[in-house]
Amino acid sequence: GSTPYAPSVHGTGAADVWATGGDLVFHRDAQGWSRFADEGWRALARPVPAAGSTIELSRVRAAAPDTVWVAASNNILRWDGQSWTAFNFDDPDYPHQQQTRGYDYRDIWVDGANDVWVVGHSDFVGSTMDFGRAHHFDGASWTHKAIGLGPVDAIWRAGDVFWLANPTVDV
């Protein structure tokens, strides 16, 4: 795989820990660490639109031993204990047509297997006013919300409040 530029580790306990780096997924169970055998996400994920770019797995979050979420460049991946699902919200003609939008994903917050927040950045072709985005999965569908100019690099919940890291906003 590629060189890990942003390794991430998360788990539900000592016998269920997940790690990503570059384009690789690892899992630790009671027997120890191993490269995760099911790489079915590779066939599902839409490639990064830029020529020569590879998908980088930037964040992993486990909701349960059989529910894992991964931020993967312009895809959100979900392992349900049996198979992978890939979510990609880029417009079909992005980035080759004006007024189309593409997304990248940087961090994940999991409140439950069916209550997941993913944050990142959007790119609207033809505009320099690109917004950070928060995407929420409620178990059935996704909602999307603009979050100020520039990327949202991190998300953290404290009680009922979400904290977002947006390095381009001067406070």
Side-chain angles (χ1 to χ4, degrees):
S2 63
T3 303
Y5 83 99
S8 178
V9 178
H10 194 255
T12 62
D16 181 44
V17 182
W18 295 82
T20 59
D23 65 348
L24 302 176
V25 178
F26 298 89
H27 185 244
R28 182 184 189 285
D29 59 19
Q31 270 58 91
W33 284 100
S34 62
R35 184 168 165 179
F36 193 59
D38 190 326
E39 293 191 346
W41 66 267
R42 292 180 188 276
L44 299 173
R46 283 180 58 187
V48 177
S53 295
T54 60
I55 294 175
E56 295 283 342
L57 309 179
S58 60
R59 184 68 72 211
V60 62
R61 291 292 179 254
D66 64 350
T67 307
V68 178
W69 292 87
V70 178
S73 297
N74 59 327
N75 297 272
I76 301 168
L77 307 175
R78 180 183 184 183
W79 173 254
D80 67 6
Q82 301 295 318
S83 62
W84 289 98
T85 303
F87 301 95
N88 182 296
F89 303 112
D90 292 355
D91 290 335
D93 293 327
Y94 173 81
H96 307 292
Q97 185 174 335
Q98 292 288 315
Q99 308 299 309
T100 59
R101 187 177 312 278
Y103 301 92
D104 68 54
Y105 308 103
R106 310 242 174 122
D107 201 4
I108 303 169
W109 183 266
V110 176
D111 280 329
N114 291 314
D115 189 5
V116 177
W117 294 85
V118 182
V119 295
H121 183 254
S122 66
D123 176 37
F124 191 67
V125 178
S127 174
T128 58
M129 304 298 282
D130 296 321
F131 289 93
R133 295 283 173 161
H135 311 267
H136 180 246
F137 182 71
D138 65 7
S141 62
W142 288 90
T143 55
H144 314 277
K145 180 163 181 61
I147 308 290
L149 292 176
V152 178
D153 287 339
I155 184 171
W156 187 264
R157 182 189 284 278
D160 291 337
V161 177
F162 275 112
W163 293 86
L164 304 174
N166 181 319
T168 59
V169 176
D170 189 13
V171 184

